[in-house]
Amino acid sequence: MSPWLVLFPAALVAVAFLRRRLSQAAFFAADHGASAWLSGLAGTAIGLSAFTFIGGPALVASVGSGALWMILPAPLTGALQCWVLGCWLVGRQPRPLSLPQLLAEDLGPSVRPVAALLLAAGCLAGLVVQAKAIEVLAQGLLGEPAKLWMLAVFLATMAYAAAGGMRVAVWVDAVQGAVMGAVALVVAWVALRHALSAGALLPWLREGGAGLGSFGQVPAAQAFSWYLLFTVGSLAQPQYLQKFFFLRSQEELRRLPLALTGSLMMVLTVWVGLGLAAGALVQAGLLPAAGDRTVPLLLRQLGPGVLAAAAVGALFAISSTVASLLNLLSAALTWDLPQAFGRHRWSLAWGRLITLLAGLAALALAASSGRTVALLGLLGWGFFTAAFLPAVVAAVGRWPVGRAAPLAMAVGAGLCLGLEALRPQLPGGVEPGLVGAGAGFALLALAGRARG
Amino acid sequence: MSWKAAACALALALSAPALGLPAAVAGLLAALATLLSLARRWGPPLGPSRWHVRAMLAALSGLLVPSLLLAHRPLVGLLWLLGPCYLLAAPLFLWLFDQGFRRPR
């Protein structure tokens, strides 16, 4: 398959929307007009990355059932997000468009520039990681040249994200989410059947290898830390909050947990199915234990159709996340930062231009040295958890934190980054994102106590 | 509220070794207790009641703590994760959310 094929549909969508005059609500929040299912499917596609299709199952194959603790929060997080975040922001009038704006409304205007800058930095790092993920995906599944795939997928996503903003991207993401769910079910089913017919799955389960049990080869403390990080962390990821800005009404909010949980668990089937099949085949000596390459090797065993389906699912997972990160970054720089400094007029042209420039910057950074990328890769889930979770909880709970919120965000983010750099020396179960969030909470609690 | 939750968290963490639970479990439950307690703070018509928060927390404890007891039972441990903790937990939490949403506090 040629990488340039992905550009044609994106170019068509971009041309169709290029001449339209979009408001900021349309560009950043899909006009607040999405139903629960549209928002839920798009939210699931945005929230999941290619790691779901490749890295996650490979982790199950290498450390066993302990890796399942990363996805074990899935039944809870949909309901929890709707309780904590949805109830907080969907009923507001006028509807806000971004996380920094929301935080500023509840915690004071000084929060907005800090939140916007942290969000922009995290989104840029996230984009670089997604670009590198395309490269890895091309090497394992799509075929060379990897750099060309990276360029084509980014240009395609940048085209529709810049032309139509989330007004278009919410539909594209929802379709991609539905395809990801269908692909995940098929791939998981075929992989498990393959492991079963190869005589690897049942003996592995019956004899109880080292990877089974409740935690596999992962220490219990690490498994619980993952559970906690991926449960509470889901409340602080800007790309997870985005779906609530799309939502039409509180009545739709009531239906959203079903849409979110259903679509999320459907896609995560691939993590369980591929992971267990790969683990069993590795134990039986029918598949080499090759780290992240284990899953591509298994997919090749399953045939070209399954390989292509998994590649499409992983590509859609990346593309939807990229579209969201581009839009969030554009909102931070063209909506939140100018407003924080008193400039209240928003320009669609700037919104589009920053979307394109952000994509190009991410491509340039991804093409540079691996060391830089590895460093930027640290700014992921844990970074957003450390930076935003205390502030979000303080805003939701209406804590009297005064002007401490920007400091708590900066300290949490900084601590998370510092600890990530020391990760090999950290004891098991210590997650930098959680420690950073803990420090932020402590600061906010002290500030609240000082204010009485 | 935050101070009560913090006190509960501390008490749970301190009593965890005596109860035979790793501190991580206590931390996990304490953090989720704090979070769910926060979730009931918002005014009507949204937000779960105290009963729903307690039910959700009890369900979480009931699902996660047995995984420690089953840690070294290869097949049973895995089936516990994939069955009650993963597949069956989803309808339970969705039902609790819906109940909490339906009934104004």
Side-chain angles (χ1 to χ4, degrees):
Chain A
M1 192 168 94
S2 164
W4 300 113
L5 275 179
V6 299
L7 274 173
F8 287 114
L12 285 177
V13 173
V15 168
F17 272 82
L18 205 54
R19 286 180 173 276
R20 293 210 191 169
R21 297 294 308 162
L22 297 171
S23 66
Q24 59 267 41
F27 196 77
F28 295 130
D31 270 329
H32 309 296
S35 66
W37 279 98
L38 180 63
S39 193
L41 279 171
T44 296
I46 288 168
L48 295 174
S49 70
F51 187 73
T52 308
F53 284 82
I54 309 295
L59 199 62
V60 177
S62 71
V63 301
S65 45
L68 296 176
W69 282 82
M70 284 189 189
I71 60 165
L72 222 50
L76 172 64
T77 49
L80 194 65
Q81 284 176 61
C82 290
W83 263 0
V84 178
L85 303 174
C87 297
W88 174 46
L89 65 87
V90 172
R92 287 177 180 240
Q93 288 298 338
R95 296 284 299 269
L97 299 178
S98 68
L99 176 61
Q101 184 184 359
L102 257 173
L103 292 177
E105 282 177 10
D106 285 350
L107 299 176
S110 60
V111 172
R112 201 165 180 180
V114 178
L117 287 173
L118 287 173
L119 200 151
C123 286
L124 184 62
L127 286 167
V128 176
V129 173
Q130 296 301 319
K132 291 301 284 184
I134 299 171
E135 205 176 350
V136 174
L137 192 67
Q139 286 159 356
L141 292 186
L142 301 164
E144 300 286 350
K147 288 265 189 305
L148 213 57
W149 272 107
M150 193 165 85
L151 189 65
V153 173
F154 253 71
L155 286 179
T157 311
M158 284 156 59
Y160 72 78
M166 290 319 290
R167 180 86 170 76
V168 169
V170 70
W171 284 97
V172 178
D173 292 348
V175 171
Q176 288 176 334
V179 172
M180 283 162 61
V183 162
L185 282 178
V186 171
V187 171
W189 170 253
V190 175
L192 284 173
R193 218 181 50 178
H194 173 70
L196 205 61
S197 60
L201 190 60
L202 286 182
W204 184 51
L205 292 177
R206 212 177 291 132
E207 288 157 21
L212 298 180
S214 301
F215 303 105
Q217 294 171 30
V218 175
Q222 178 68 60
F224 281 114
S225 284
W226 279 342
Y227 189 92
L228 185 57
L229 182 68
F230 285 96
T231 303
V232 297
S234 69
L235 303 176
Q237 308 300 311
Q239 68 273 33
Y240 277 53
L241 263 91
Q242 212 177 16
K243 58 183 164 280
F244 295 109
F245 296 117
F246 307 155
L247 212 57
R248 188 187 303 150
S249 63
Q250 291 185 350
E251 199 45 46
E252 294 297 324
L253 176 64
R254 189 175 162 187
R255 296 190 200 105
L256 187 61
L258 178 62
L260 275 178
T261 309
S263 54
L264 181 63
M265 289 181 72
M266 193 189 276
V267 180
L268 290 178
T269 314
V270 78
W271 186 305
V272 179
L274 262 184
L276 290 181
L281 290 164
V282 166
Q283 289 294 319
L286 298 170
L287 186 71
D292 277 352
R293 286 191 302 119
T294 308
V295 170
L297 288 172
L298 168 59
L299 290 168
R300 284 183 199 287
Q301 284 186 8
L302 301 178
V306 177
L307 185 75
V312 166
L315 262 186
F316 280 3
I318 292 175
S319 172
S320 49
T321 306
V322 168
S324 165
L325 292 175
L326 286 171
N327 190 266
L328 287 168
L329 202 153
S330 176
L333 297 187
T334 68
W335 172 250
D336 289 306
L337 266 189
Q339 290 222 341
F341 294 106
R343 196 183 149 91
H344 292 282
R345 248 188 92 189
W346 178 76
S347 151
L348 174 63
W350 275 104
R352 284 174 166 160
L353 184 66
I354 293 295
T355 305
L356 293 174
L357 289 178
L360 293 174
L363 280 173
L365 282 169
S368 68
S369 79
R371 189 187 168 90
T372 313
V373 170
L375 195 68
L376 286 166
L378 301 178
L379 292 159
W381 184 280
F383 176 79
F384 280 138
T385 305
F388 293 122
L389 184 63
V392 166
V393 171
V396 169
R398 302 194 184 283
W399 293 4
V401 296
R403 293 184 179 177
L407 180 67
M409 285 195 289
V411 167
L415 192 61
C416 172
L417 286 182
L419 287 175
E420 279 286 6
L422 300 171
R423 192 181 262 277
Q425 285 95 51
L426 295 178
V430 174
E431 277 297 327
L434 290 178
V435 177
F441 273 121
L443 265 173
L444 292 181
L446 280 175
R449 185 120 177 111
R451 285 172 67 91
Chain B
M1 197 304 298
S2 57
W3 297 109
K4 282 185 204 165
C8 287
L10 187 66
L12 200 55
L14 291 175
S15 60
L19 295 171
L21 296 173
V25 185
L28 173 81
L29 293 176
L32 289 172
T34 310
L35 204 75
L36 292 170
S37 308
L38 275 171
R40 71 169 193 86
R41 284 177 62 91
W42 308 298
L46 299 179
S49 70
R50 190 185 294 269
W51 180 85
H52 294 110
V53 172
R54 284 176 182 162
M56 207 140 172
L57 194 64
L60 268 173
S61 319
L63 290 171
L64 298 184
V65 173
S67 63
L68 282 163
L69 306 172
L70 301 171
H72 300 295
R73 304 277 305 273
L75 190 54
V76 184
L78 178 70
L79 290 178
W80 180 263
L81 290 193
L82 292 178
C85 291
Y86 190 66
L87 285 175
L88 298 180
L92 174 67
F93 290 135
L94 289 175
W95 179 77
L96 279 171
F97 172 83
D98 196 58
Q99 290 298 306
F101 206 100
R102 186 179 296 175
R103 200 168 62 180
R105 288 191 296 128

